[in-house]
Amino acid sequence: MGRQRERRAAAGSGRGPAEGIHDIDTGTCELVKDRYLPDGWVLEVNGVPSSHIDLADPTLLEFEYMRWIAQLLESQRPRDERLRVLHLGGGACSMARYLAATYPNARQVVVEIDGRLAELVRDWFDLPRAPLLRIRVGEARAVLASLTDATRDVIVRDVFAINRTPVALTTVEFTRHARRVLDAGGVYVVNCGDTRDLTTARREAATIGSIFEHTAIIADPAMLKGRRYGNIVIAGSDAPLGQSPALARDLLGGGVPAQVWTDAQVRRFAADARVLLDAECRPPATVPADEVATG
């Protein structure tokens, strides 16, 4: 216990990563040195791996599902575009850091419910400053509902409580807010974690497909065949998604080869699934959305 307290006391003692366990608003996080990359770090939140950062290379995405999201967005939007990106779920801001490096004109907001974690991440990692990247402390649904129509080009939902996305962030009502906030041609993309029965993924696909004209799914074949637990990337837009031959080739060439399903395949996958409704969950807690003054 004494060693843990020493590690916790080091939090915020200086700029740069502070290896060890740290108290945060929602419990604890642990920053662990990557054994294989000299500048790599893994952030665990309440015992669950949440993010990976390589301080030497912001374009290195260690988590496979993040690479899939990046490849999908790059197949849809040119890199010189001034993308307006909303990230629901912060962690170590790995995806925001990647997009800042690959879309230098982007303007991004990361919504993180844990204010102390947001402060630590700003202190530890080489994050762009405002207006390129702002971190806003608040509950994802409350923040999304407060935003003006047609003010974002991309919304990335990557929120987990332990190992599940809160149901309130998966429903038709929530997805309608995402559609409202997106501008024409905007992309809503979610990281869906599921078990081998794929019930959650089918229902999420049905829900997103009920709001958006076009959908896409990216995952590795074993996951889509129900052979293991893992991540499925599901996206919706009012513009066609996933139709680039280059995207399909790039996904097959990754460390974990993946495949992309376009709209017709997604709708067959979700054909018998019920959409998710607010009635299935308790109303989400309303947390004041105060911007962290670290930009």
Side-chain angles (χ1 to χ4, degrees):
M1 287 298 294
R3 187 176 180 183
Q4 285 191 1
R5 279 194 293 270
E6 288 175 6
R7 288 177 172 181
R8 289 171 178 166
S13 61
R15 299 196 64 80
E19 187 173 13
I21 299 171
H22 307 270
D23 292 317
I24 57 176
D25 294 340
T26 57
T28 62
C29 72
E30 183 171 7
L31 195 59
V32 181
K33 191 76 177 68
D34 190 319
R35 293 182 296 170
Y36 304 104
L37 292 171
D39 294 298
W41 295 89
V42 177
L43 175 67
E44 298 184 359
V45 177
N46 293 317
V48 178
S50 167
S51 308
H52 180 279
I53 285 279
D54 187 330
L55 289 175
D57 184 3
T59 67
L60 177 63
L61 295 174
E62 188 70 14
F63 290 0
E64 201 70 44
Y65 80 87
M66 288 192 178
R67 291 203 287 271
W68 299 339
I69 291 174
Q71 289 170 318
L72 175 65
L73 296 180
E74 288 164 358
S75 74
Q76 298 290 130
R77 317 295 295 224
R79 287 195 173 188
D80 60 354
E81 185 174 352
R82 191 179 185 274
L83 278 185
R84 300 163 296 173
V85 186
L86 176 70
H87 300 265
L88 302 176
C93 297
S94 304
M95 180 59 65
R97 191 166 172 263
Y98 174 91
L99 292 177
T102 54
Y103 287 82
N105 298 317
R107 298 293 184 269
Q108 303 185 75
V109 174
V110 174
V111 179
E112 169 58 56
I113 198 169
D114 193 304
R116 180 57 180 152
L117 179 61
E119 292 172 358
L120 290 172
V121 166
R122 270 289 189 204
D123 197 45
W124 289 338
F125 303 124
D126 183 24
L127 299 180
R129 315 305 292 186
L132 297 178
L133 174 58
R134 294 184 292 123
I135 300 178
R136 182 170 175 174
V137 175
E139 190 274 325
R141 179 156 176 164
V143 173
L144 181 65
S146 74
L147 297 179
T148 304
D149 295 5
T151 54
R152 298 295 187 275
D153 302 303
V154 175
I155 298 175
V156 179
R157 191 208 75 199
D158 191 10
V159 181
F160 282 82
I162 308 299
N163 62 351
R164 298 183 66 86
T165 300
V167 177
L169 307 184
T170 67
T171 64
V172 166
E173 293 85 349
F174 178 85
T175 309
R176 285 197 187 109
H177 279 302
R179 176 66 190 84
R180 175 186 60 78
V181 170
L182 283 172
D183 206 348
V187 179
Y188 175 55
V189 57
V190 309
N191 173 27
C192 173
D194 204 1
T195 58
R196 292 169 58 182
D197 68 11
L198 299 178
T199 299
T200 299
R202 292 180 195 277
R203 295 195 70 186
E204 284 235 53
T207 301
I208 292 171
S210 73
I211 302 300
F212 290 96
E213 184 178 354
H214 299 277
T215 58
I217 277 178
I218 299 175
D220 72 275
M223 184 66 203
L224 292 172
K225 291 176 182 177
R227 293 178 180 170
R228 67 173 184 84
Y229 172 89
N231 300 89
I232 294 180
V233 170
I234 309 173
S237 179
D238 63 8
L241 287 169
Q243 297 185 341
S244 165
L247 172 63
R249 290 195 301 269
D250 291 344
L251 290 170
L252 287 173
V256 177
Q259 62 188 94
V260 56
W261 285 354
T262 53
D263 190 68
Q265 293 166 295
V266 175
R267 293 185 188 278
R268 285 197 295 271
F269 172 73
D272 298 324
R274 293 181 295 113
V275 300
L276 290 147
L277 299 170
D278 275 356
E280 297 184 40
C281 61
R282 295 179 180 177
T286 301
V287 178
D290 298 320
E291 190 173 317
V292 175
T294 56

